[in-house]
Amino acid sequence: MTAKKSLADFIHAARAEVPEVDCETVQGWLEMGDDVLIVDVRQARDYEAGRLPGAVHAPRDHLEALADPNYLRSHPELARAHSRRVLLYCDSGTRSLLAARTLRDMGFLEVYNLSGGYHVWEAEDLPTHSGPPDTTSEG
């Protein structure tokens, strides 16, 4: 019989596999123009209320489908990002940590989680965008 796992067990396992980066590191990537796909895994209302610059939206509850290039309605940029640097975030960093582990399981090679999530990004008064996505600049 397999032992039951708790949320804490899943978080602990994900932390062992997924590197977490701080806001300063991400800001450096953005300032240097590094090739990084930033993925917001929150719900649409949160994404539209405020997000990291250039972030694409892939809600956690649809992530596997959106990241699968064989799925008819996959996200065009995310589904092709298996060899790109991918940064995920949510409000606090927990959902995105679990989502990042899922992407690693799906064969994504370089996946990171934003430590502390959007709340920390916003608290540090870093640049954000709001409103519906601009399809010309945010994919």
Side-chain angles (χ1 to χ4, degrees):
M1 182 172 190
T2 305
K4 292 182 181 179
K5 291 185 179 184
S6 67
L7 175 60
D9 294 327
F10 285 108
I11 293 169
H12 179 74
R15 280 215 165 93
E17 292 181 25
V18 176
E20 293 192 277
V21 294
D22 59 18
C23 294
E24 183 179 341
T25 300
V26 176
Q27 185 66 6
W29 290 346
L30 294 173
E31 288 173 0
M32 296 297 294
D34 288 0
D35 180 28
V36 57
L37 177 61
I38 301 174
V39 180
D40 185 323
V41 299
R42 301 173 302 156
Q43 296 299 314
R45 68 183 173 279
D46 299 318
Y47 174 79
E48 290 189 11
R51 61 187 171 276
L52 273 67
V56 300
H57 188 226
R60 175 66 191 105
D61 53 347
H62 299 286
L63 183 69
E64 294 84 351
L66 293 170
D68 184 347
N70 297 315
Y71 182 67
L72 183 60
R73 293 186 182 173
S74 65
H75 186 284
E77 194 170 4
L78 177 59
R80 294 187 320 262
H82 284 77
S83 6
R84 285 179 70 189
R85 180 185 304 165
V86 179
L87 171 75
L88 280 74
Y89 73 92
C90 63
D91 284 330
S92 66
T94 302
R95 277 178 296 167
S96 54
L97 177 65
L98 297 172
R101 184 171 186 212
T102 297
L103 289 185
R104 288 180 55 90
D105 289 346
M106 292 180 74
F108 285 74
L109 302 175
E110 192 178 355
V111 183
Y112 298 88
N113 184 51
L114 177 60
S115 181
Y118 187 77
H119 290 310
V120 172
W121 184 270
E122 193 174 40
E124 292 190 15
D125 203 28
L126 292 166
T128 61
H129 293 174
S130 61
D134 175 359
T135 56
T136 62
S137 67
E138 295 188 31

